[in-house]
Amino acid sequence: MAKHPGPLLLPICLLLCVLNSSCAGDEAVHVPQQRVDSTNKDALLPVVLWHGMGRSCCDQGMENLKTLIEDLGVPYVRSIEIGASLAEDVYKTYIGNVNEQVAQVCEELAADDRLADGVNAIGLSQGSQFLRAYIHRCNRPPVRAYISLGGQHQGVYGFPGCNPPGPLCMLARHLLSTGPYSTTVQ
């Protein structure tokens, strides 16, 4: 049986976006665009990746994405890790102070000399929001192209892992849809 071509669409889109910064991402975030000559591998900017909830910087999926980008000739790919171990990195995607995490990443990226001339950034799921916070709060080194994959920039619906919807899930979904920023829900 022939394989469905759907799984190839994401890698193809990533390849095009990394090589052509004209797809600079989310309309709500102004990121200066920079034309890159994709035939000149020395002109390619490093890429910063920020994973989503329940993932780590270096799990198999993130490593595959990192390898895919490196295979394009990108000189340096940095996958953001929060914590001293992979387990802590995953844990902090659920429990952690996002403001502190973004401040930590601002400091770490600013101190990385390989990123000094700017980066292209790819955020997956909640990593998209965290990269957006990075762009708004510090953006040093500057993000030249920002790609948000599965980011919830226009809000959140539902509750991850809430299937089948039992009474607890239904309550959580109701609270999330009636007032995500209310004191009770927060």
Side-chain angles (χ1 to χ4, degrees):
M1 176 161 57
K3 289 189 176 185
H4 188 275
L8 298 176
L9 293 178
L10 177 60
I12 290 168
C13 289
L14 284 173
L15 292 173
L16 293 173
C17 287
V18 169
L19 291 174
N20 178 4
S21 64
S22 66
C23 61
D26 194 292
E27 299 270 338
V29 179
H30 175 71
V31 177
Q33 292 190 16
Q34 170 189 359
R35 275 287 198 216
V36 175
D37 177 4
S38 62
T39 61
N40 179 359
K41 298 301 182 192
D42 293 331
L44 293 177
L45 289 172
V47 171
V48 171
L49 302 173
W50 201 328
H51 60 84
M53 184 178 282
R55 306 292 301 264
S56 78
C57 66
C58 308
D59 63 26
Q60 192 60 55
M62 293 302 291
E63 284 297 316
N64 290 345
L65 178 57
K66 184 178 177 193
T67 300
L68 175 73
I69 296 167
E70 289 169 339
D71 287 348
L72 294 172
V74 173
Y76 176 54
V77 180
R78 178 164 179 167
S79 190
I80 294 172
E81 179 179 5
I82 304 292
S85 68
L86 297 184
E88 186 177 357
D89 192 24
V90 172
Y91 175 77
K92 288 195 172 190
T93 67
Y94 295 107
I95 307 295
N97 183 317
V98 176
N99 292 314
E100 290 173 5
Q101 292 177 13
V102 171
Q104 173 188 336
V105 170
C106 286
E107 290 175 17
E108 290 177 2
L109 296 185
D112 189 336
D113 293 336
R114 294 174 284 187
L115 306 176
D117 293 330
V119 300
N120 292 322
I122 302 173
L124 291 87
S125 192
Q126 82 175 9
S128 295
Q129 274 73 37
F130 297 172
L131 276 172
R132 187 172 174 172
Y134 167 86
I135 292 167
H136 284 283
R137 294 179 185 181
C138 56
N139 205 28
R140 201 188 89 206
V143 171
R144 304 295 184 195
Y146 167 59
I147 302 168
S148 172
L149 298 173
Q152 307 81 11
H153 297 284
Q154 294 183 347
V156 176
Y157 169 76
F159 187 75
C162 189
N163 197 6
L168 222 51
C169 285
M170 296 304 286
L171 174 62
R173 184 171 287 145
H174 174 73
L175 290 173
L176 287 171
S177 65
T178 58
Y181 303 104
S182 71
T183 305
T184 306
V185 175
Q186 290 295 314

